[in-house]
Amino acid sequence: MDDELGTPALRRSSTRAKKIGAKVSAVLADPNIRAQAALARLDALENDNIAVEAIDVDDDDEASLDDEEQGFREKKAAKGTKRKTRRAKAQAMERIGNNKKTPRSFLELLQEANLESLPAHIPTYHKAAVGPPSSGARRHFCTVCGYLAPYTCTRCGARFCSSRCKVVHNDTRCQKFLQ
Amino acid sequence: MARGGGGGAGGAGKTTVVVLDNGAGFCKAGFGGETDPSVVVPNCMARPRSAKKWVVGDQISEVQDIQGISIRRPMDRGYLINPDTEKEIWERVFKTHLKIRPSECSLLLVEPLFNLPSIQKSTDEIVFEEFGFQSLFVANAPALSHNYQVDCAPDSLIAKSNCSLVVDAGFSFTHAVPVFDGFVVNHAARRMNLGGKALTNYLKELVSYRAWNMMDETYIMEDVKEKLCLCSLDTAADLDVARSRGRSNYFLCDYILPDGIKHKRGFVKNPQAASAYMHKRKKVEPVDMEEDDDEEIAEKEETRSATKAGLPAKEDHQILTLTNERFLVPEMLFHPADLGMNEAGLAECIVRAVKACHPTLHPVMYSNVLLTGGSTLFNGFKERLENELRPLVPDEFEVNVQSVDDPLLAAWKGGSMLAASQDFHTAAITKREYEESGSSRCRRRFMF
């Protein structure tokens, strides 16, 4: 929560915001992408905290966003050598991992087991799933304070309960660099 | 009766049976016939930030710097995916704690329901090829917990009907499983993909946005969850309480985070305040709450602003303040839809499991709902489940929810009983059988 660091005026003039602002707005408004983000969040609930190679992925993503930006050119060049070594390291790690049989996730194993091919009367992992709820009613909690939230953010779809929480949401979560 | 056909090496005496309840959260291990497991270790490997070496399971409690510890688990979604890691953990358990030689022992292993053939195969490989156990018996947690409860209370309805609905809320998932005549009715078992791990991660996510960034602190957050979370009996009212300020907010409570110097582990600042809700819950409606509010607010406001700004509060502690997170987290077990999951809640899960059974069993199932697993330990879990279940069950049936004697260890204790019985040796796969016919054929006798 470093909202004191950058004033709104500074944010508005950021080239980065200008470049990607439109894209981000479009993305946030897309219901498919919102659904995807929700799924990703649910998946994350099953994660252990083992952050090893996650950093590499992030780095590359940002690079592609900043691609055309002149200001980042030199920095990128400087970073390039560093990244190469890091990538090489990752590859080396991968090679070692392959030798040691890298563990696959449960979902991969599940897919491989091909449980759908079994006859219908055999109970399987899939058939034991509880399935969707009978009533579609869903309570919404304020993403900021946790109270029941009647309002929805018009840009990103997050929930909040009051104007106070809305301000916090806008300052911290909702495209905070685009304000 | 030929006992343990292939394992002649056991000699004249009875072979030792090792009982291993290999849960995704904790690995419980001990000897068959004993009342308590010899050792309960977290089923994971961990590495503190300062070290390069991974430590195994129980060694975590000795680690000095618990902040930012990374944790690697052999289980994903409740199933064993990383045999190598598991092997290291078992090795420590067998060698250091149980002090056994596997080649002289039999193993009773608790496996999750609907285990995949490929996972069974890799498990068999570890058991017979890496460790070389004489024989293996595979059991499942719901049936063992049921049998344990039957043994504990021989006069209860559960024991008389030998039939119950076991709710096993574990680390990775929650199962509602009908047990009939001591065996799992597997075609009626239902699973929710929500367990202790998801709840911890959810709490972590909430806290990381609202207070401190705890995204890398799963281990600490697990402790916070276990100590402070509870099940709300009336969510709407409790949300109002949690929103109020001052003393009337009896959910407000502080957890001191470990700083690595003075406190190696976190703890609850004021345990009495943390359990205040239990007394409040019994009272009708607190009316006189408003009086002392004003003086309180000033004080609270001061500490709160201090924590918010990230400044150390009075005693130089890092304080994590929780309010409605305390009950909103376990709430997700009852309403996963609130989280955006397309899954029915626990009460509905139970109803669906019961409905998949024969209709004559329905009344006895509803009056024998048995809770086991670590995630049922939240305060108020039983009452909450009763409240949720009652409207969904037909009037003429009685609803009775009860907790197993020891929800964490019930499955292990049931396993220990089984290991001591004669059935174990007649049914177990011996090493020779495994070598002759391979994993898949041997496994057929443990279909569940």
Side-chain angles (χ1 to χ4, degrees):
Chain A
M1 280 193 238
D2 47 0
D3 34 1
E4 264 84 62
L5 293 178
T7 61
L10 259 176
R11 277 181 201 152
R12 216 170 283 130
S13 66
S14 145
T15 41
R16 177 177 158 81
K18 262 187 226 155
K19 284 272 199 273
I20 63 171
K23 281 187 210 164
V24 171
S25 316
V27 159
L28 283 176
D30 186 339
N32 280 336
I33 291 176
R34 276 188 197 179
Q36 262 177 30
L39 279 182
R41 183 175 159 235
L42 290 179
D43 263 355
L45 288 182
E46 286 299 323
N47 281 350
D48 299 318
N49 63 338
I50 173 164
V52 188
E53 275 128 326
I55 312 149
D56 281 53
V57 178
D58 268 7
D59 243 6
D60 283 357
D61 267 4
E62 258 187 64
S64 68
L65 278 175
D66 299 335
D67 248 347
E68 311 98 322
E69 273 192 58
Q70 286 299 323
F72 277 85
R73 279 283 177 207
E74 310 150 60
K75 252 192 188 171
K76 223 186 121 193
K79 254 173 146 186
T81 51
K82 206 177 168 190
R83 191 176 300 130
K84 224 174 223 168
T85 56
R86 203 186 283 171
R87 191 172 285 160
K89 214 186 264 175
Q91 275 170 356
M93 291 243 298
E94 219 169 86
R95 250 177 282 129
I96 297 164
N98 279 344
N99 289 342
K100 268 177 81 179
K101 250 203 311 187
T102 32
R104 282 164 305 169
S105 78
F106 172 69
L107 295 180
E108 284 167 342
L109 289 173
L110 187 65
Q111 221 164 29
E112 206 170 83
N114 197 15
L115 296 176
E116 289 84 356
S117 64
L118 292 169
H121 65 273
I122 295 179
T124 60
Y125 181 84
H126 294 299
K127 282 169 204 151
V130 63
S134 55
S135 80
R138 170 183 175 184
R139 291 171 301 173
H140 291 279
F141 297 108
C142 176
T143 49
V144 179
C145 73
Y147 194 71
L148 290 171
Y151 311 114
T152 313
C153 175
T154 47
R155 275 186 307 222
C156 70
R159 289 283 179 147
F160 49 85
C161 67
S162 59
S163 58
R164 219 178 117 190
C165 288
K166 184 189 176 183
V167 171
V168 177
H169 168 74
N170 281 344
D171 283 352
T172 55
R173 264 201 177 158
C174 191
Q175 313 168 35
K176 66 175 177 185
F177 48 90
L178 299 182
Q179 292 301 301
Chain B
M1 206 179 295
R3 178 173 62 77
K14 220 172 163 189
T15 53
T16 324
V17 182
V18 176
V19 180
L20 190 65
D21 180 4
N22 196 37
F26 286 91
C27 178
K28 285 79 79 180
F31 297 104
E34 291 184 359
T35 49
D36 283 300
S38 319
V39 61
V40 178
V41 301
N43 202 350
C44 61
M45 300 195 29
R47 189 182 58 185
R49 236 190 240 156
S50 58
K52 277 194 174 157
K53 229 182 113 199
W54 288 87
V55 298
V56 177
D58 56 307
Q59 289 165 314
I60 295 181
S61 56
E62 293 150 25
V63 166
Q64 290 293 309
D65 49 338
I66 203 71
Q67 298 108 307
I69 194 166
S70 15
I71 289 181
R72 185 164 64 180
R73 294 185 186 278
M75 315 278 263
D76 178 25
R77 282 154 226 261
Y79 294 90
L80 181 67
I81 55 151
N82 193 343
D84 293 333
T85 311
E86 190 63 89
K87 207 177 76 193
E88 284 183 53
I89 295 166
W90 285 4
E91 212 158 71
R92 178 163 169 87
V93 168
F94 294 148
K95 280 207 180 122
T96 321
H97 295 293
L98 300 185
K99 300 191 177 69
I100 52 151
R101 260 191 291 182
S103 57
E104 291 164 9
C105 299
S106 301
L107 181 69
L108 187 146
L109 181 66
V110 180
E111 271 193 358
L113 291 169
F114 309 110
N115 208 355
L116 301 177
S118 59
I119 296 173
Q120 291 178 337
K121 195 165 162 266
S122 55
T123 312
D124 287 352
E125 273 171 21
I126 307 182
V127 170
F128 287 121
E129 288 167 28
E130 305 277 354
F131 287 106
F133 277 100
Q134 282 179 16
S135 58
L136 168 71
F137 188 99
V138 178
N140 57 15
L144 294 179
S145 305
H146 167 88
N147 290 336
Y148 172 66
Q149 186 66 14
V150 166
D151 191 65
C152 277
D155 296 326
S156 62
L157 184 60
I158 290 193
K160 282 177 190 154
S161 57
N162 201 7
C163 180
S164 69
L165 188 109
V166 178
V167 176
D168 183 358
F171 186 72
S172 309
F173 42 40
T174 302
H175 275 108
V177 188
V179 176
F180 176 70
D181 203 21
F183 288 94
V184 161
V185 184
N186 60 1
H187 68 84
R190 291 291 177 271
R191 181 195 67 247
M192 289 164 64
N193 291 325
L194 253 185
K197 188 198 223 176
L199 296 185
T200 304
N201 280 339
Y202 180 54
L203 179 65
K204 197 170 80 178
E205 189 194 296
L206 290 180
V207 163
S208 299
Y209 175 61
R210 293 177 193 167
W212 301 92
N213 182 3
M214 302 294 284
M215 285 317 273
D216 292 334
E217 312 285 358
T218 310
Y219 189 81
I220 298 174
M221 290 320 288
E222 205 158 75
D223 189 55
V224 176
K225 179 193 75 175
E226 283 163 16
K227 287 191 176 138
L228 291 178
C229 282
L230 60 122
C231 286
S232 163
L233 297 182
D234 181 352
T235 315
D238 283 349
L239 274 172
D240 280 329
V241 171
R243 201 186 207 194
S244 60
R245 292 192 177 174
R247 204 175 286 161
S248 60
N249 182 357
Y250 47 81
F251 287 108
L252 193 74
C253 110
D254 292 337
Y255 182 89
I256 313 281
L257 296 170
D259 54 9
I261 305 159
K262 246 196 270 169
H263 309 296
K264 305 289 186 207
R265 293 292 183 275
F267 56 93
V268 179
K269 190 179 176 193
N270 187 350
Q272 266 179 337
S275 54
Y277 66 90
M278 281 161 76
H279 312 294
K280 299 284 179 193
R281 198 179 264 169
K282 279 166 198 146
K283 282 187 195 163
V284 191
E285 184 56 46
V287 193
D288 54 331
M289 279 301 169
E290 307 301 322
E291 299 165 11
D292 48 12
D293 251 12
D294 297 316
E295 35 185 335
E296 277 291 309
I297 287 177
E299 191 200 329
K300 275 286 168 222
E301 200 68 347
E302 180 199 329
T303 48
R304 190 173 297 170
S305 58
T307 17
K308 260 208 181 129
L311 295 169
K314 282 173 208 157
E315 288 145 355
D316 208 21
H317 289 148
Q318 292 194 329
I319 296 178
L320 179 65
T321 306
L322 295 183
T323 52
N324 55 20
E325 297 87 3
R326 291 180 67 192
F327 55 87
L328 283 180
V329 168
E331 183 76 18
M332 294 308 139
L333 276 177
F334 299 97
H335 292 280
D338 294 346
L339 203 59
M341 287 180 101
N342 191 21
E343 258 184 18
L346 184 56
E348 218 175 335
C349 183
I350 292 173
V351 171
R352 284 178 195 182
V354 172
K355 278 191 177 153
C357 298
H358 193 275
T360 45
L361 289 176
H362 292 187
V364 71
M365 290 282 171
Y366 284 126
S367 47
N368 284 339
V369 178
L370 197 59
L371 303 179
T372 180
S375 297
T376 64
L377 290 171
F378 291 118
N379 207 303
F381 189 92
K382 178 174 155 268
E383 290 81 6
R384 175 64 192 269
L385 184 60
E386 262 168 359
N387 291 355
E388 293 261 323
L389 203 52
R390 189 62 260 187
L392 300 177
V393 177
D395 278 359
E396 60 269 31
F397 299 155
E398 197 187 329
V399 172
N400 181 21
V401 181
Q402 54 179 312
S403 221
V404 194
D405 248 20
D406 187 348
L408 279 175
L409 301 178
W412 186 90
K413 290 179 174 175
S416 168
M417 281 163 41
L418 177 67
S421 73
Q422 197 46 245
D423 293 352
F424 176 83
H425 291 287
T426 47
I429 324 167
T430 59
K431 190 165 187 225
R432 191 195 287 166
E433 281 170 325
Y434 169 77
E435 278 159 1
E436 275 167 14
S437 48
S439 171
S440 60
R441 288 204 40 200
C442 289
R443 280 295 182 132
R444 238 168 252 172
R445 67 178 81 167
F446 303 121
M447 281 299 248
F448 53 74

